[in-house]
Amino acid sequence: MKINNPLLAGALVLILALPVAAQKNAEAGAHGEAIEAELDSIRESVLDDVEVSTVDLDLISRSRVLRVATSFSQTGFYLDGGEPRGTVPDSINLFVQQLKEGKARRYHIIPLYLPLPRDSLLDAVADGKADIAAGNLTITPARLEKVAFSAPFASTVSEVVVTGPGAPELSSIEDLAGKTVHVRQSSSYYETLDALSRSFETKGFEPIDLVLVSELLESEDVLDLVASGVFQLTVVDDHIAQLWARVQPELMVRNDLAVAEGQSIGWAFRKNSPQLEEALARFVQGHRKGTLMGNIILNRYYRDNKRVGNPTLGIDQERFEALGEYFRRYGEQYEVEWLLLVAQGYQESRLDQSVRSSAGAVGVMQIKPSTAADPNVDIPNIEENVENNIHAGTRYLAFIRNRYFSSDDIDPIDQVLFSFAAYNAGPRRIMQYRRQAAERGLDPDRWLENVEEVANRETLQYVKKIIKYFVSYREYQRLVLSAKARERAKAESG
């Protein structure tokens, strides 16, 4: 099988890691394109017609590209002005530096980051689309059937229960029976909890109510939602829970309730790659958890993280209940999922009509009067009338979608996500990002993990927070509907 990675075409500009200032001038851009073309030529000459199973560190070094599969997260991997940041790029840069000092020293190896959903990381390695999968990956027997793992960066890791405000009292593992726990299906936590739930059933207990969250949410995103009270319970590795609890005092880390112990964390790579395995083993020795460099990298990204609120509590819940009908009405009229509109309104103003920005935007949807007065929107009195404000914001969002992102090539959900991004940064800027994404071999018709890669951090975070708030509102609706269903069943049985 030939190595065939569609993400590679033109993508190397992203990972050249030139200084941000240099990237902003034409001379640096031309220099980057020249290097990109040279690397493409080298890679093709080295790896063309090569079987995936034979690609080890010698061929990786000669190709000058180390392909790293990872996932977007608040601390692990994100882009700042187009430059990779986070614990993964910091660690990979140190690993590449070690390779330059070793047997690969005559080659200038460049890391190419391939941001993928969590459930695609190991397949990318096994299929030859990536050389390493980096992140907080637990080494499990099931995963070892597919890929190999480095020596552990952390061992004796426990998977522990973490609770938030309003969580039920738990005194033992058995108390998880019948409780709702939110996890990603691709995570090792799901494997553990699923096995535990089945063991409960054999003992006559209720199974655990495992609610699957999006694969686009990292463990820290789930912890955000637990800390804010949107989710009550989750399970994560103890070292992640302890670090996150430093900035999320609402989190209760239950080290006494470990659903798994003695776990190890490592990077994944293709089987039968002894050179890469040996290089990773040397690297881990000086960078595992507990070493000076390992601790510096871990702590660097846990100090100044913006937290997501809970839009379904207190005054925020009251506003949601008061304004929900408007969002439903105009969401249906303009064919936008109404809870997504609510999430955008919460991101813009916390659903507060009194909010005014220094740029002149007003109300729940933070829309400018001049925009509302434009013939394409044409909604009056958005300053005082909250319904008109929501109507104007929704109509403007729909106008953006219909004018710029209505192509049949764009999935309906991506049409909305592109529209959110354009609402924040302007349609022209997003169209520019789409062109840049296409030049880098990414899909210009998909926002998540494609065009968002080249977007500025403000816009990327704007859209991601809307997604988080949408999850919050959807969970709130699920709980409300479940409560109503229980009340109906009780009334019918009574």
Side-chain angles (χ1 to χ4, degrees):
M1 179 175 62
K2 286 175 58 176
I3 293 178
N4 180 23
N5 183 2
L7 294 176
L8 284 175
L12 285 171
V13 170
L14 169 64
I15 49 78
L16 290 177
L18 297 172
V20 174
Q23 291 183 11
K24 294 181 179 180
N25 63 61
E27 182 179 352
H31 178 62
E33 292 175 4
I35 296 176
E36 175 187 351
E38 180 184 353
L39 286 170
D40 276 337
S41 175
I42 294 171
R43 186 180 61 255
E44 290 174 4
S45 66
V46 172
L47 297 179
D48 193 30
D49 295 322
V50 172
E51 291 292 326
V52 169
S53 60
T54 67
V55 177
D56 203 347
L57 184 56
D58 55 347
L59 290 178
I60 293 172
S61 299
R62 287 172 55 196
S63 74
R64 302 193 184 183
V65 176
L66 179 71
R67 300 165 302 169
V68 182
T70 190
S71 296
F72 277 117
S73 72
Q74 296 181 52
T75 54
F77 177 83
Y78 60 89
L79 296 173
D80 183 5
E83 189 171 0
R85 301 285 190 192
T87 57
V88 169
D90 281 8
S91 299
I92 289 292
N93 287 340
L94 291 171
F95 177 59
V96 167
Q97 183 61 38
Q98 173 186 286
L99 294 179
K100 293 177 185 176
E101 296 168 354
K103 295 179 180 179
R105 59 185 176 274
R106 63 194 180 99
Y107 299 113
H108 183 72
I109 301 174
I110 295 173
L112 167 62
Y113 296 101
L114 307 177
L116 298 169
R118 273 276 171 171
D119 56 353
S120 301
L121 295 180
L122 300 185
D123 286 334
V125 172
D127 295 342
K129 296 177 181 177
D131 302 305
I132 289 174
N136 195 75
L137 296 172
T138 301
I139 304 171
T140 68
R143 291 173 173 178
L144 284 169
E145 292 180 4
K146 182 177 293 187
V147 295
F149 274 88
S150 68
F153 284 93
S155 55
T156 66
V157 173
S158 295
E159 297 178 355
V160 298
V161 173
V162 181
T163 66
E169 290 205 13
L170 304 171
S171 59
S172 68
I173 290 294
E174 286 71 23
D175 288 339
L176 289 175
K179 302 298 190 299
T180 298
V181 183
H182 287 79
V183 288
R184 281 194 327 272
Q185 187 168 18
S186 67
S187 67
S188 62
Y189 318 134
Y190 175 81
E191 293 181 35
T192 302
L193 288 166
D194 184 52
L196 181 62
S197 182
R198 285 186 274 108
S199 74
F200 282 169
E201 291 185 90
T202 63
K203 298 175 183 177
F205 298 152
E206 288 186 74
I208 302 171
D209 178 20
L210 292 176
V211 177
L212 304 181
V213 303
S214 170
E215 291 294 331
L216 298 172
L217 295 181
E218 287 290 298
S219 294
E220 57 209 29
D221 298 321
V222 176
L223 288 174
D224 271 343
L225 294 168
V226 171
S228 63
V230 176
F231 300 158
Q232 292 186 337
L233 301 170
T234 193
V235 167
V236 298
D237 291 336
D238 54 356
H239 63 282
I240 292 179
Q242 295 292 352
L243 283 167
W244 215 246
R246 295 180 189 176
V247 293
Q248 300 276 42
E250 300 87 354
L251 293 174
M252 177 69 70
V253 181
R254 296 297 303 271
N255 291 311
D256 58 318
L257 298 180
V259 297
E261 297 177 311
Q263 306 285 74
S264 296
I265 306 297
W267 288 350
F269 60 96
R270 277 184 306 279
K271 292 184 176 183
N272 304 313
S273 303
Q275 299 167 357
L276 187 55
E277 181 177 14
E278 190 273 334
L280 286 170
R282 287 190 293 110
F283 179 71
V284 169
Q285 284 183 352
H287 299 83
R288 70 174 73 223
K289 181 186 176 184
T291 64
L292 176 61
M293 186 55 66
N295 289 344
I296 288 174
I297 292 174
L298 279 175
N299 290 323
R300 182 177 296 162
Y301 294 94
Y302 288 87
R303 294 174 184 169
D304 184 27
N305 289 288
K306 297 179 180 178
R307 295 157 58 184
V308 64
N310 184 352
T312 64
L313 292 177
I315 186 65
D316 295 331
Q317 180 182 355
E318 294 175 14
R319 290 170 181 161
F320 169 71
E321 299 290 353
L323 303 177
E325 182 55 35
Y326 300 141
F327 285 108
R328 287 178 185 271
R329 180 183 307 162
Y330 296 113
E332 180 177 352
Q333 179 175 337
Y334 295 102
E335 299 182 328
V336 181
E337 162 60 48
W338 75 280
L339 285 178
L340 278 171
L341 287 174
V342 179
Q344 184 189 18
Y346 189 84
Q347 166 63 18
E348 289 286 356
S349 68
R350 296 191 66 168
L351 305 182
D352 186 351
Q353 178 65 11
S354 69
V355 171
R356 302 289 188 269
S357 79
S358 58
V362 302
V364 169
M365 301 302 285
Q366 286 295 281
I367 185 169
K368 293 181 178 180
S370 59
T371 303
D374 185 277
N376 293 301
V377 181
D378 195 25
I379 304 294
N381 193 22
I382 64 168
E383 296 94 331
E384 303 300 330
N385 189 306
V386 66
E387 178 180 357
N388 285 8
N389 189 282
I390 294 171
H391 186 186
T394 306
R395 189 168 185 175
Y396 177 54
L397 185 76
F399 164 73
I400 292 173
R401 178 195 61 196
N402 297 339
R403 171 68 65 88
Y404 297 97
F405 309 114
S406 60
S407 167
D408 291 339
D409 294 331
I410 306 177
D411 185 88
I413 187 60
D414 280 301
Q415 292 180 8
V416 175
L417 296 180
F418 277 124
S419 302
F420 285 147
Y423 197 103
N424 173 258
R428 291 183 180 178
R429 178 69 60 84
I430 303 308
M431 297 302 288
Q432 177 186 354
Y433 289 154
R434 292 182 67 200
R435 290 191 293 271
Q436 291 175 355
E439 291 169 358
R440 297 175 181 180
L442 301 170
D443 188 343
D445 295 329
R446 292 186 60 198
W447 173 259
L448 293 172
E449 297 170 346
N450 284 272
V451 177
E452 71 173 355
E453 280 197 40
V454 302
N456 65 55
R457 183 159 173 76
E458 177 188 346
T459 302
L460 187 154
Q461 290 299 320
Y462 177 85
V463 177
K464 185 158 189 176
K465 282 197 172 185
I466 289 175
I467 293 173
K468 280 191 186 181
Y469 294 135
F470 171 69
V471 170
S472 300
Y473 284 119
R474 188 174 58 181
E475 177 67 8
Y476 174 71
Q477 289 294 99
R478 186 185 75 83
L479 294 174
V480 169
L481 293 175
S482 296
K484 289 181 179 179
R486 287 194 299 270
E487 290 175 3
R488 286 196 301 269
K490 184 177 180 180
E492 292 171 359
S493 63

Coordinates of all heavy atoms in Angstrom, one line a residue, residues 23-80:
Q23 N 5.9 35.6 9.1 CA 4.9 35.1 8.2 C 4.1 36.1 7.6 O 3.4 35.9 6.6 CB 4.0 34.1 9.0 CG 4.7 32.8 9.5 CD 3.7 31.9 10.2 OE1 2.5 32.1 10.2 NE2 4.3 30.9 10.8
K24 N 4.1 37.3 8.2 CA 3.2 38.4 7.7 C 3.8 39.2 6.5 O 3.1 40.1 6.0 CB 2.9 39.3 8.9 CG 2.0 38.7 10.0 CD 1.7 39.6 11.1 CE 0.8 38.9 12.1 NZ 0.5 39.9 13.2
N25 N 5.0 38.9 6.1 CA 5.5 39.7 5.0 C 5.7 38.8 3.8 O 5.9 37.6 3.9 CB 6.8 40.4 5.4 CG 7.9 39.5 5.7 OD1 8.3 38.7 4.9 ND2 8.4 39.6 7.0
A26 N 5.7 39.4 2.6 CA 5.7 38.6 1.4 C 6.9 37.8 1.2 O 6.9 36.7 0.7 CB 5.4 39.5 0.2
E27 N 8.0 38.4 1.7 CA 9.3 37.7 1.5 C 9.3 36.4 2.2 O 9.8 35.4 1.6 CB 10.5 38.6 2.0 CG 11.8 38.0 1.8 CD 12.9 38.9 2.3 OE1 12.6 40.0 2.7 OE2 14.1 38.4 2.4
A28 N 8.9 36.4 3.5 CA 8.8 35.1 4.2 C 7.8 34.2 3.6 O 8.1 33.0 3.5 CB 8.4 35.4 5.7
G29 N 6.7 34.7 3.0 CA 5.7 33.8 2.4 C 6.4 33.1 1.2 O 6.2 31.9 1.0
A30 N 7.1 33.9 0.4 CA 7.7 33.3 -0.8 C 8.8 32.2 -0.4 O 8.9 31.2 -1.0 CB 8.4 34.4 -1.6
H31 N 9.5 32.6 0.7 CA 10.5 31.6 1.2 C 9.8 30.3 1.7 O 10.3 29.2 1.4 CB 11.3 32.3 2.4 CG 12.3 31.4 3.0 ND1 13.4 30.9 2.3 CD2 12.4 30.9 4.3 CE1 14.1 30.1 3.2 NE2 13.5 30.1 4.3
G32 N 8.7 30.5 2.4 CA 8.0 29.3 2.8 C 7.5 28.4 1.7 O 7.6 27.2 1.7
E33 N 7.0 29.1 0.6 CA 6.5 28.3 -0.6 C 7.7 27.6 -1.2 O 7.5 26.4 -1.7 CB 5.9 29.3 -1.5 CG 4.6 29.9 -1.0 CD 4.0 30.9 -2.0 OE1 4.6 31.1 -3.1 OE2 2.9 31.5 -1.7
A34 N 8.8 28.2 -1.3 CA 10.0 27.5 -1.9 C 10.4 26.3 -1.1 O 10.7 25.2 -1.6 CB 11.2 28.5 -2.0
I35 N 10.4 26.4 0.3 CA 10.7 25.3 1.1 C 9.7 24.2 1.0 O 10.0 23.0 0.9 CB 10.9 25.7 2.6 CG1 12.0 26.7 2.7 CG2 11.0 24.6 3.5 CD1 12.2 27.3 4.1
E36 N 8.4 24.6 0.9 CA 7.4 23.7 0.8 C 7.5 22.8 -0.5 O 7.4 21.6 -0.5 CB 6.0 24.4 0.7 CG 4.8 23.5 0.5 CD 3.6 24.3 0.3 OE1 3.6 25.6 0.5 OE2 2.6 23.7 -0.2
A37 N 7.8 23.5 -1.6 CA 8.0 22.8 -2.9 C 9.2 21.8 -2.8 O 9.1 20.7 -3.3 CB 8.2 23.8 -4.0
E38 N 10.2 22.3 -2.2 CA 11.4 21.4 -2.0 C 11.1 20.2 -1.2 O 11.5 19.1 -1.6 CB 12.6 22.2 -1.4 CG 13.8 21.4 -1.2 CD 14.9 22.1 -0.5 OE1 14.8 23.3 -0.3 OE2 16.0 21.5 -0.2
L39 N 10.4 20.4 -0.1 CA 10.1 19.3 0.8 C 9.1 18.3 0.1 O 9.2 17.1 0.2 CB 9.4 19.8 2.1 CG 10.4 20.4 3.1 CD1 9.6 21.1 4.2 CD2 11.4 19.4 3.6
D40 N 8.2 18.8 -0.7 CA 7.3 18.0 -1.5 C 8.1 17.1 -2.4 O 7.8 15.9 -2.5 CB 6.3 18.8 -2.3 CG 5.1 19.2 -1.4 OD1 4.8 18.6 -0.4 OD2 4.4 20.2 -1.8
S41 N 9.0 17.7 -3.1 CA 9.9 16.9 -4.0 C 10.7 15.8 -3.3 O 10.7 14.7 -3.8 CB 10.8 17.9 -4.8 OG 11.7 17.2 -5.6
I42 N 11.3 16.2 -2.2 CA 12.1 15.2 -1.4 C 11.2 14.1 -0.9 O 11.6 12.9 -1.0 CB 12.7 15.9 -0.2 CG1 13.8 17.0 -0.7 CG2 13.4 14.9 0.7 CD1 14.3 17.8 0.4
R43 N 10.0 14.5 -0.4 CA 9.2 13.4 0.2 C 8.7 12.4 -0.9 O 8.7 11.2 -0.7 CB 7.9 14.1 0.8 CG 7.0 13.1 1.6 CD 5.8 13.8 2.2 NE 5.0 14.4 1.2 CZ 4.9 15.8 1.0 NH1 5.7 16.6 1.8 NH2 4.2 16.3 0.1
E44 N 8.3 13.0 -2.0 CA 7.9 12.1 -3.1 C 9.0 11.2 -3.6 O 8.8 10.0 -3.8 CB 7.4 12.9 -4.3 CG 6.1 13.7 -4.0 CD 5.7 14.6 -5.1 OE1 6.4 14.6 -6.1 OE2 4.7 15.3 -4.9
S45 N 10.2 11.7 -3.7 CA 11.3 10.9 -4.1 C 11.7 9.8 -3.1 O 12.1 8.7 -3.5 CB 12.6 11.7 -4.4 OG 13.1 12.3 -3.2
V46 N 11.5 10.1 -1.8 CA 11.8 9.1 -0.8 C 10.7 8.1 -0.6 O 11.0 6.9 -0.4 CB 12.2 9.8 0.5 CG1 12.3 8.8 1.7 CG2 13.4 10.6 0.4
L47 N 9.5 8.5 -0.5 CA 8.4 7.7 -0.1 C 7.5 7.2 -1.2 O 6.6 6.3 -0.9 CB 7.5 8.5 1.0 CG 8.2 8.9 2.2 CD1 7.3 9.7 3.1 CD2 8.8 7.7 3.0
D48 N 7.6 7.6 -2.4 CA 6.7 7.1 -3.4 C 6.9 5.6 -3.6 O 8.1 5.1 -3.7 CB 7.1 7.9 -4.7 CG 6.0 7.6 -5.8 OD1 4.8 7.5 -5.4 OD2 6.3 7.7 -7.0
D49 N 5.8 4.9 -3.7 CA 5.8 3.5 -3.9 C 6.4 2.7 -2.7 O 6.8 1.5 -2.9 CB 6.5 3.1 -5.2 CG 5.8 3.6 -6.4 OD1 4.6 3.6 -6.4 OD2 6.5 4.0 -7.4
V50 N 6.5 3.3 -1.6 CA 7.1 2.6 -0.4 C 5.9 2.0 0.4 O 4.9 2.7 0.6 CB 7.9 3.6 0.5 CG1 8.3 2.9 1.8 CG2 9.1 4.0 -0.2
E51 N 6.0 0.8 0.8 CA 5.0 0.1 1.7 C 5.0 0.8 3.0 O 6.1 1.1 3.6 CB 5.3 -1.4 1.8 CG 5.2 -2.2 0.6 CD 3.7 -2.3 0.1 OE1 2.8 -2.3 1.0 OE2 3.4 -2.3 -1.1
V52 N 3.8 1.0 3.5 CA 3.7 1.7 4.8 C 4.4 0.9 5.9 O 5.1 1.5 6.8 CB 2.2 1.8 5.2 CG1 2.0 2.2 6.7 CG2 1.5 2.8 4.3
S53 N 4.4 -0.4 5.9 CA 5.0 -1.2 7.0 C 6.5 -1.1 7.0 O 7.1 -1.5 8.0 CB 4.6 -2.6 6.8 OG 5.0 -3.1 5.6
T54 N 7.1 -0.5 6.0 CA 8.6 -0.4 5.9 C 9.1 0.9 6.3 O 10.3 1.2 6.3 CB 9.1 -0.8 4.5 OG1 8.7 0.2 3.6 CG2 8.6 -2.1 4.1
V55 N 8.2 1.9 6.6 CA 8.6 3.3 6.8 C 9.0 3.4 8.3 O 8.2 3.3 9.2 CB 7.5 4.3 6.5 CG1 7.9 5.7 6.9 CG2 7.1 4.2 5.0
D56 N 10.3 3.5 8.5 CA 10.8 3.7 9.9 C 11.5 5.1 9.9 O 11.5 5.9 9.0 CB 11.8 2.6 10.3 CG 11.9 2.4 11.8 OD1 11.5 3.3 12.5 OD2 12.4 1.3 12.2
L57 N 12.3 5.3 11.0 CA 12.9 6.6 11.2 C 13.9 7.0 10.1 O 14.0 8.2 9.8 CB 13.6 6.7 12.6 CG 14.2 8.0 13.0 CD1 13.1 9.1 13.0 CD2 14.8 7.9 14.4
D58 N 14.5 6.1 9.5 CA 15.5 6.4 8.4 C 14.8 7.1 7.2 O 15.2 8.1 6.7 CB 16.3 5.2 8.0 CG 15.4 4.0 7.5 OD1 14.2 4.1 7.8 OD2 15.9 3.1 6.9
L59 N 13.6 6.5 6.8 CA 12.9 7.1 5.7 C 12.2 8.4 6.1 O 12.1 9.3 5.4 CB 11.9 6.1 5.2 CG 12.5 4.9 4.4 CD1 11.4 3.9 4.0 CD2 13.3 5.4 3.2
I60 N 11.7 8.4 7.4 CA 11.1 9.7 7.9 C 12.1 10.8 7.8 O 11.8 11.9 7.4 CB 10.6 9.5 9.3 CG1 9.4 8.5 9.3 CG2 10.1 10.8 9.9 CD1 8.9 8.1 10.7
S61 N 13.3 10.5 8.3 CA 14.4 11.5 8.3 C 14.7 12.0 6.9 O 14.9 13.2 6.6 CB 15.6 11.0 9.0 OG 15.4 10.6 10.3
R62 N 14.8 11.0 6.0 CA 15.1 11.4 4.6 C 14.0 12.2 3.9 O 14.3 13.0 3.1 CB 15.4 10.1 3.8 CG 16.8 9.5 4.1 CD 16.9 8.1 3.4 NE 16.7 8.3 2.0 CZ 16.5 7.2 1.2 NH1 16.4 6.0 1.7 NH2 16.4 7.4 -0.1
S63 N 12.8 11.9 4.3 CA 11.6 12.7 3.8 C 11.6 14.1 4.4 O 10.9 14.9 3.8 CB 10.3 11.9 4.0 OG 9.9 12.1 5.4
R64 N 12.3 14.3 5.5 CA 12.3 15.5 6.2 C 11.0 16.0 6.9 O 10.9 17.1 7.3 CB 12.9 16.6 5.3 CG 14.2 16.3 4.7 CD 14.8 17.6 4.1 NE 16.1 17.2 3.5 CZ 16.9 18.1 2.9 NH1 16.6 19.4 2.9 NH2 18.1 17.7 2.4
V65 N 10.0 15.1 6.9 CA 8.7 15.4 7.5 C 8.3 14.4 8.5 O 8.3 13.2 8.2 CB 7.6 15.5 6.4 CG1 6.3 15.8 7.0 CG2 8.0 16.6 5.4
L66 N 8.0 14.8 9.7 CA 7.4 13.9 10.7 C 6.0 14.3 10.9 O 5.6 15.4 11.3 CB 8.2 14.1 12.1 CG 7.6 13.3 13.3 CD1 8.0 11.8 13.1 CD2 8.1 13.8 14.6
R67 N 5.1 13.4 10.5 CA 3.7 13.6 10.5 C 3.1 13.2 11.8 O 3.2 12.1 12.2 CB 3.0 12.9 9.3 CG 3.6 13.3 7.9 CD 3.2 12.3 6.9 NE 3.7 10.9 7.2 CZ 3.3 9.8 6.6 NH1 2.4 9.9 5.6 NH2 3.8 8.7 6.9
V68 N 2.5 14.2 12.5 CA 2.0 14.0 13.8 C 0.5 14.2 13.8 O -0.1 15.3 13.6 CB 2.6 15.0 14.8 CG1 2.1 14.8 16.2 CG2 4.1 15.0 14.7
A69 N -0.2 13.1 14.2 CA -1.7 13.2 14.3 C -2.0 13.6 15.8 O -1.4 13.0 16.7 CB -2.3 11.8 14.0
T70 N -2.9 14.6 15.9 CA -3.2 15.1 17.2 C -4.6 15.7 17.1 O -5.2 15.7 16.0 CB -2.2 16.1 17.8 OG1 -2.5 16.3 19.1 CG2 -2.2 17.3 17.0
S71 N -5.1 16.2 18.2 CA -6.5 16.8 18.2 C -6.4 18.2 18.8 O -5.6 18.4 19.7 CB -7.4 15.9 19.1 OG -7.6 14.6 18.5
F72 N -7.3 19.0 18.3 CA -7.4 20.4 18.9 C -7.8 20.3 20.3 O -8.7 19.5 20.7 CB -8.4 21.2 18.1 CG -7.9 21.8 16.8 CD1 -8.4 21.5 15.6 CD2 -6.8 22.8 16.9 CE1 -7.9 22.1 14.4 CE2 -6.3 23.4 15.7 CZ -6.9 23.0 14.5
S73 N -7.2 21.1 21.2 CA -7.6 21.2 22.6 C -7.1 22.5 23.1 O -6.3 23.2 22.5 CB -7.1 20.0 23.4 OG -5.7 20.1 23.6
Q74 N -7.6 22.9 24.3 CA -7.2 24.1 24.9 C -5.8 24.2 25.3 O -5.1 25.2 25.3 CB -8.1 24.4 26.2 CG -9.5 24.6 25.9 CD -10.3 24.8 27.2 OE1 -10.0 25.7 28.0 NE2 -11.4 24.0 27.4
T75 N -5.2 23.0 25.6 CA -3.8 23.0 26.1 C -2.9 22.0 25.3 O -1.7 22.3 25.3 CB -3.8 22.5 27.6 OG1 -4.5 21.2 27.7 CG2 -4.5 23.4 28.5
G76 N -3.5 21.0 24.7 CA -2.6 20.1 23.9 C -2.2 20.6 22.6 O -1.0 20.5 22.2
F77 N -3.1 21.1 21.8 CA -2.8 21.6 20.4 C -3.8 22.7 20.0 O -5.0 22.4 20.0 CB -2.8 20.5 19.4 CG -2.5 20.9 18.0 CD1 -1.2 21.1 17.6 CD2 -3.5 21.2 17.1 CE1 -0.9 21.5 16.3 CE2 -3.3 21.6 15.8 CZ -2.0 21.8 15.4
Y78 N -3.3 23.8 19.7 CA -4.1 24.9 19.1 C -3.2 25.8 18.3 O -2.0 25.6 18.3 CB -4.8 25.7 20.2 CG -3.9 26.4 21.2 CD1 -3.5 27.7 20.9 CD2 -3.6 25.8 22.4 CE1 -2.6 28.4 21.8 CE2 -2.7 26.5 23.3 CZ -2.3 27.7 23.0 OH -1.5 28.4 23.9
L79 N -3.8 26.7 17.5 CA -3.0 27.5 16.6 C -3.1 29.0 17.1 O -4.2 29.5 17.4 CB -3.6 27.4 15.2 CG -3.4 26.1 14.5 CD1 -4.1 26.0 13.2 CD2 -1.9 25.7 14.4
D80 N -2.0 29.6 17.2 CA -2.0 31.0 17.6 C -1.3 31.8 16.5 O -0.1 31.7 16.3 CB -1.1 31.1 18.9 CG -1.1 32.5 19.5 OD1 -1.8 33.4 18.9 OD2 -0.4 32.8 20.5

